[in-house]
Amino acid sequence: MDNQAIRYSFGGDEHLFAEVSESMSLSAFFQGLAMTNALKAQEIDGILDICLANASFQIRFNPDIIAPDELLNRVKTLENQSNAGKILQTRIVEIPVYYNDPWTHETLMRFRDRHQDPQSTDLEYAARINGYDSVDAFIEAHSASPWFVSMVGFVAGLPFMFQMVTQDKQIEVPKYLSPRTDSPRQTVGHGGCFGCIYSVKGAGGYQMFGITPVPIYDPQQTIRHLQSSMVFFRAGDIVRFKAIDREEYDQTLEAVENGQYTLRTRPFTFDLVAYQADPDDYKTQVTEALYVD
């Protein structure tokens, strides 16, 4: 956990916001996760909703049932959670990505006037400012290490992902100077230290690196891997990107449309303490667990 006191503030009469940390880290996420899980387990009358984010959480409550100060005091008692809060039963998911695809490329070229470097593509810009010699080297870095889903939201089903590497290896890219009015559905993007997958077509400001043929949001729930839930991702998922070419993209898309595609997923027990002790070794364990049959 970062050496920082949790900052609490009330939003109107019905919301309590807790800022665990000013910056994103897996320690901050797990602190918020442990506290919100403990709060849910108490089933406190008057709490209407609990929303976990990257390094914060928000509680919606009925002040006629539980007074704001009483709620605040009860939340504060949960700050010091045991190491049990640092173990997470989750899953690893492989997401195929067609990097430098024609659809995001066509879109980003329409919006160069909103970009920091109009003479470069998003991938070229991201590679350069992160110190990579080529786009291929940048794509290798983007797909070589797993990503941790720290939040799902903003629009329905969109995952925010934090790469599981040491801080000096974090990919960081600013958002567009002003948002685009268009982003293809299932675009793999990046803004700040966060990766994402655009679950729907629409406005956006993240740099666009590629596109996945695999839907992650389906309100009709007709897609095979979305029949139990219209939203695929949940906080705590671990994602491994797999670079694919146009041929594999088309084959995967056809399999999805025919109901024959199966996402590669594996159950996994994530141990924050073990990860922090040796991030490089732990990401190897994650990758090996994904490909064990």
Side-chain angles (χ1 to χ4, degrees):
M1 175 60 192
D2 300 340
N3 294 321
Q4 175 182 328
I6 297 177
R7 182 183 301 169
Y8 297 96
S9 57
F10 287 101
D13 297 328
E14 299 180 349
H15 295 88
L16 173 63
F17 177 71
E19 183 183 48
V20 180
S21 174
E22 292 182 353
S23 60
M24 172 59 196
S25 69
L26 288 182
S27 295
F29 169 81
F30 269 81
Q31 176 73 356
L33 177 68
M35 291 179 68
T36 52
N37 283 343
L39 197 61
K40 291 174 184 177
Q42 291 187 13
E43 298 182 344
I44 298 172
D45 288 342
I47 291 182
L48 305 177
D49 194 16
I50 302 172
C51 182
L52 177 65
N54 298 310
S56 62
F57 59 90
Q58 183 161 302
I59 303 166
R60 184 167 68 96
F61 64 97
N62 184 339
D64 293 328
I65 298 176
I66 182 169
D69 287 344
E70 179 186 351
L71 175 61
L72 177 58
N73 290 333
R74 296 189 69 164
V75 172
K76 284 184 174 180
T77 65
L78 303 174
E79 289 186 6
N80 297 316
Q81 295 296 303
S82 68
N83 283 337
K86 298 179 180 180
I87 302 291
L88 179 65
Q89 300 299 327
T90 186
R91 60 184 176 171
I92 313 169
V93 184
E94 180 185 81
I95 297 293
V97 180
Y98 180 15
Y99 289 95
N100 211 9
D101 66 282
W103 305 285
T104 60
H105 180 79
E106 185 278 330
T107 302
L108 67 88
M109 293 304 293
R110 284 192 279 120
F111 293 96
R112 297 330 284 164
D113 60 327
R114 307 187 185 202
H115 196 272
Q116 292 87 346
D117 185 358
Q119 305 306 314
S120 299
T121 66
D122 292 7
L123 274 168
E124 290 169 344
Y125 173 66
R128 187 178 72 254
I129 67 172
N130 281 278
Y132 291 95
D133 294 334
S134 66
V135 166
D136 287 344
F138 178 80
I139 290 172
E140 170 64 22
H142 188 271
S143 58
S145 295
W147 297 73
F148 193 94
V149 177
S150 56
M151 173 182 164
V152 179
F154 185 71
V155 296
L158 184 151
F160 287 80
M161 298 173 288
F162 185 73
Q163 196 169 28
M164 296 169 60
V165 293
T166 54
Q167 188 172 2
D168 61 303
K169 296 179 181 178
Q170 285 288 339
I171 292 172
E172 294 189 28
V173 190
K175 295 187 289 186
Y176 275 45
L177 296 175
S178 60
R180 301 177 303 274
T181 56
D182 186 24
S183 306
R185 183 170 72 110
Q186 294 155 213
T187 291
V188 174
H190 198 98
C193 68
F194 289 107
C196 82
I197 303 173
Y198 283 81
S199 52
V200 297
K201 177 181 174 66
Y206 278 22
Q207 308 285 335
M208 296 185 291
F209 296 162
I211 197 165
T212 175
V214 179
I216 60 171
Y217 172 64
D218 178 20
Q220 286 73 44
Q221 294 181 243
T222 57
I223 297 171
R224 183 175 179 179
H225 59 272
L226 290 164
Q227 291 178 350
S228 61
S229 172
M230 69 176 67
V231 170
F232 178 74
F233 284 111
R234 49 184 181 255
D237 280 344
I238 298 173
V239 176
R240 183 65 190 267
F241 292 124
K242 174 190 175 185
I244 60 174
D245 58 17
R246 177 62 187 268
E247 182 179 5
E248 188 170 353
Y249 175 90
D250 290 339
Q251 292 173 347
T252 302
L253 188 62
E254 182 179 3
V256 169
E257 293 172 348
N258 293 336
Q260 298 175 339
Y261 183 75
T262 301
L263 266 175
R264 178 182 288 271
T265 63
R266 294 290 187 272
F268 189 74
T269 301
F270 182 84
D271 185 329
L272 178 62
V273 175
Y275 166 75
Q276 291 176 324
D278 192 340
D280 288 335
D281 178 69
Y282 203 81
K283 75 177 184 182
T284 300
Q285 295 179 42
V286 170
T287 301
E288 290 175 348
L290 177 60
Y291 297 108
V292 170
D293 293 322

